[in-house]
């Protein structure tokens, strides 16, 4: 039905789309978590947690699915990334576990110290997840040293380079902005007006990080713009990205919280599309020899038969995930209302 090269491209695209889906959906969960400690009243914090309460665990499924797609479609890439970034991945998983525990245990006891303890865990775990994810993507953009077997030859300090830390900070700023817009959309009354004041500072923080990261990418990672140089039509994606960012404060000022949130979602989608566009066909770029040692979608994929079976599974499974997600968001649409069963 498909040629091997077509299947390889489909699975690389699927991996990027799943990452974008995770960033959009769990991104606002992480943003709400990082903003959690900026509210000092228990009632307000409960509203913030309950805004993501029905959906946060389902949103994390997209990261699991992206990891599964990478493992099944590009096993050599999966092996290289997880061996190279073993410690960061363990930190990421620890953050995901502690965030889940904090959300579930926070409201089990009424004592102030108890809730403060889990609030700190919740915010710190959210920050850790966002920072680690951004740094990992930054290293995929920059590249890591590989040998002829495709094995990582650096150490943890290799991964803690300035560019990776910058993209980690960019991810933190992106999710804080995304989360601030989401929480404004889900609240009303006095709390809505209070949280609305958080949006513009978060936008400014994101824009500063975005401009800095863009300049660093253009100067130090020139390979990321090669696709646009070869196909100028792709530059429209960058323009769309800028327009989406510019529309966020416009919609917030007009009181169109949902449209502002959609613009934030479009911004994330464009950023991940630009990531995929810039790295293609490399999945893991070899910093020491990009042209010969990099793991690409063509030299590190599974067999044609495996990819065909995976595509069939994806065609069946992905609509189920999308349907489940849509139903959950439809059921829990509207503003947050606290009751006896709330967190």
């Amino acid at each position: 039905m498909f040629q091997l090269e077509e299947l390889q491209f489909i699975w690389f695209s699927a991996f990027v789309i799943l990452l974008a889906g995770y960033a959009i959906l769990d991104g606002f969960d992480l943003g709400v978590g990082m903003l959690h400690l900026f509210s000092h009243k228990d009632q307000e914090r409960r509203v913030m947690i309950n805004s993501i309460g029905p959906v946060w665990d389902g949103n994390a499924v997209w990261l699991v699915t992206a990891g599964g797609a990478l493992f099944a479609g590009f096993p050599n890439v999966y092996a290289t990334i997880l061996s190279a970034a073993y410690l960061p991945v363990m930190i990421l998983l620890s953050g995901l576990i502690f965030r889940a525990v904090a959300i579930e245990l926070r409201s089990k006891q009424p004592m102030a110290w108890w809730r403060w303890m889990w609030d700190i865990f919740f915010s710190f775990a959210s920050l850790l997840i966002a920072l680690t994810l951004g740094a990992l993507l930054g290293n995929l953009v920059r590249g890591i040293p590989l040998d002829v077997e495709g094995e990582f030859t650096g150490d943890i300090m290799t991964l803690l380079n300035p560019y990776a830390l910058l993209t980690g900070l960019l991810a933190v700023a992106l999710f804080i902005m995304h989360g601030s817009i989401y929480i404004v959309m889900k609240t009303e009354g006095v709390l809505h007006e209070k949280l609305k004041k958080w949006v513009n500072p978060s936008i400014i923080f994101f824009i500063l990080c975005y401009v800095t990261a863009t300049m660093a990418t253009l100067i130090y990672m020139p390979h990321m713009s090669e696709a646009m140089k070869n196909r100028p039509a792709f530059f429209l994606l960058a323009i769309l990205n800028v327009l989406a960012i510019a529309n966020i404060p416009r919609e917030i000022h007009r009181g169109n919280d949902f449209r502002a949130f959609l613009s934030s979602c479009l911004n994330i989608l464009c950023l991940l599309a630009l990531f995929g566009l810039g790295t293609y066909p490399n999945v893991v770029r070899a910093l020491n020899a990009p042209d010969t040692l990099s793991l690409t979608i063509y030299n590190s994929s599974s067999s044609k038969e495996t990819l065909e079976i995976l595509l069939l599974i994806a065609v069946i499974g992905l609509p189920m995930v999308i349907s489940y997600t849509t139903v959950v968001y439809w059921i829990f649409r509207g503003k947050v209302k606290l009751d006896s069963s709330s967190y």
Side-chain angles (χ1 to χ4, degrees), residues 6-194:
E6 294 172 331
L7 289 167
Q8 291 165 332
F9 176 77
I10 288 172
W11 271 100
F12 178 73
S13 302
F15 172 66
V16 175
I17 290 170
L18 289 168
L19 277 183
Y22 173 76
I24 289 171
L25 295 177
D26 204 33
F28 63 74
D29 297 335
L30 298 174
V32 170
M34 287 184 281
L35 292 169
H36 187 67
L37 290 180
F38 286 92
S39 184
H40 301 292
K41 296 181 180 179
D42 183 69
Q43 185 79 355
E44 294 177 352
R45 291 184 177 181
R46 287 189 66 204
V47 171
M48 293 177 73
I49 288 182
N50 280 278
S51 70
I52 65 171
V55 297
W56 68 267
D57 49 352
N59 293 340
V61 169
W62 289 78
L63 181 62
V64 176
T65 309
L70 187 65
F71 170 74
F74 304 100
N76 292 339
V77 170
Y78 182 89
T80 297
I81 290 177
L82 263 70
S83 59
Y86 183 81
L87 181 59
V89 169
M90 289 299 104
I91 292 173
L92 173 63
L93 293 176
S94 299
L96 290 167
I97 292 169
F98 273 106
R99 181 184 65 159
V101 172
I103 291 174
E104 293 298 332
L105 293 184
R106 181 193 186 275
S107 298
K108 298 300 182 183
Q109 298 293 335
M111 296 87 75
W113 67 266
W114 173 272
R115 295 190 172 188
W116 260 101
M117 178 180 68
W118 292 115
D119 286 341
I120 292 171
F121 273 118
F122 178 43
S123 288
F124 182 71
S126 299
L127 174 64
L128 205 60
I129 295 166
L131 188 63
T132 305
L133 282 172
L136 286 173
L137 288 182
N139 275 298
L140 291 181
V141 170
R142 178 177 179 263
I144 57 176
L146 301 175
D147 62 17
V148 292
E149 300 295 329
E151 295 183 2
F152 179 59
T153 58
D155 53 31
I156 187 61
M157 296 309 297
T158 307
L159 303 178
L160 295 177
N161 57 82
Y163 184 78
L165 296 177
L166 177 60
T167 54
L169 184 62
L170 175 64
V172 169
L174 173 65
F175 293 150
I176 286 177
M177 180 184 72
H178 196 47
S180 68
I181 298 167
Y182 176 80
I183 195 64
V184 166
M185 185 179 68
K186 296 292 289 183
T187 54
E188 57 187 349
V190 176
L191 181 58
H192 175 272
E193 295 305 314
K194 177 182 177 179

Side-chain angles (χ1 to χ4, degrees), residues 225-240:
S225 60
E226 286 299 319
M228 291 187 190
K229 292 177 182 177
N230 297 331
R231 293 182 176 86
F234 286 144
F235 189 69
L236 293 173
L237 190 60
I239 295 175
L240 181 61

